[in-house]
Amino acid sequence: MTTEQPKQLDIDSMSLDQLTQLKQSEENRLDMITTRYSQLRAASSRFNAAKTALTSITSSSPPSSSSSETKKPLMIPLTASLYAPGYIQDANKMLVELGTGFYVEKSSKEAHAFLERKLKIVDGNSENVLKVIQMTRQNLE
């Protein structure tokens, strides 16, 4: 695997119009990358919230009790401000969204592991994007 050297531009030989266009291009790139970083941080927050909810649901249920004894009340969101009361019958069975509307049933341990993997990926991508943001800002100075 070869490493590419960053493309060097000779800004001394560029006209004022070319420099202005280059600066505008870098500012647009920075805006796009910053938006992407915000999206990744929002995804990380959603995964952390899901992990917290999963932990709170599974931590209070005894592992060997029957499903009729483990019914837990919760509020089911119908819209952003409308909820309906409901019950979890089996806290060990979760539906996990894999993406684009695909769901799979997993145990609570498997769901927790899935969320951990997703968080690791999102946080790794966030770190990479943050490095690119810092380099782009440095280029703009």
Side-chain angles (χ1 to χ4, degrees):
M1 186 168 155
T2 63
T3 58
E4 284 186 27
Q5 293 294 327
K7 187 177 176 183
Q8 297 286 328
L9 293 175
D10 183 17
I11 60 171
D12 293 330
S13 65
M14 296 176 111
S15 70
L16 185 57
D17 288 340
Q18 289 174 324
L19 288 172
T20 304
Q21 184 180 5
L22 178 63
K23 182 179 183 213
Q24 184 65 39
S25 171
E26 284 296 304
E27 287 173 346
N28 289 342
R29 180 173 179 255
L30 180 61
D31 288 344
M32 287 186 340
I33 295 168
T34 303
T35 300
R36 178 66 179 147
Y37 181 74
S38 297
Q39 292 169 345
L40 286 169
R41 296 314 317 146
S44 180
S45 293
R46 286 191 306 271
F47 286 130
N48 275 319
K51 199 169 90 169
T52 301
L54 179 63
T55 301
S56 71
I57 289 170
T58 57
S59 66
S60 61
S61 68
S64 62
S65 61
S66 69
S67 64
S68 64
E69 297 171 4
T70 61
K71 283 188 177 181
K72 295 182 186 185
L74 78 145
M75 298 302 286
I76 301 167
L78 301 176
T79 67
S81 60
L82 181 64
Y83 296 83
Y87 292 94
I88 296 177
Q89 291 188 350
D90 188 354
N92 194 39
K93 290 183 182 176
M94 303 289 156
L95 277 181
V96 178
E97 183 182 9
L98 299 177
T100 63
F102 288 97
Y103 295 86
V104 65
E105 187 175 297
K106 291 186 175 282
S107 71
S108 58
K109 271 188 180 178
E110 292 169 332
H112 192 271
F114 175 81
L115 291 171
E116 284 290 331
R117 284 193 308 273
K118 287 294 222 176
L119 268 169
K120 186 176 179 182
I121 291 168
V122 168
D123 289 342
N125 286 341
S126 292
E127 289 175 20
N128 292 339
V129 169
L130 187 58
K131 289 176 187 175
V132 172
I133 288 172
Q134 292 168 344
M135 286 180 17
T136 305
R137 282 188 179 146
Q138 186 180 13
N139 288 342
L140 284 172
E141 291 178 357

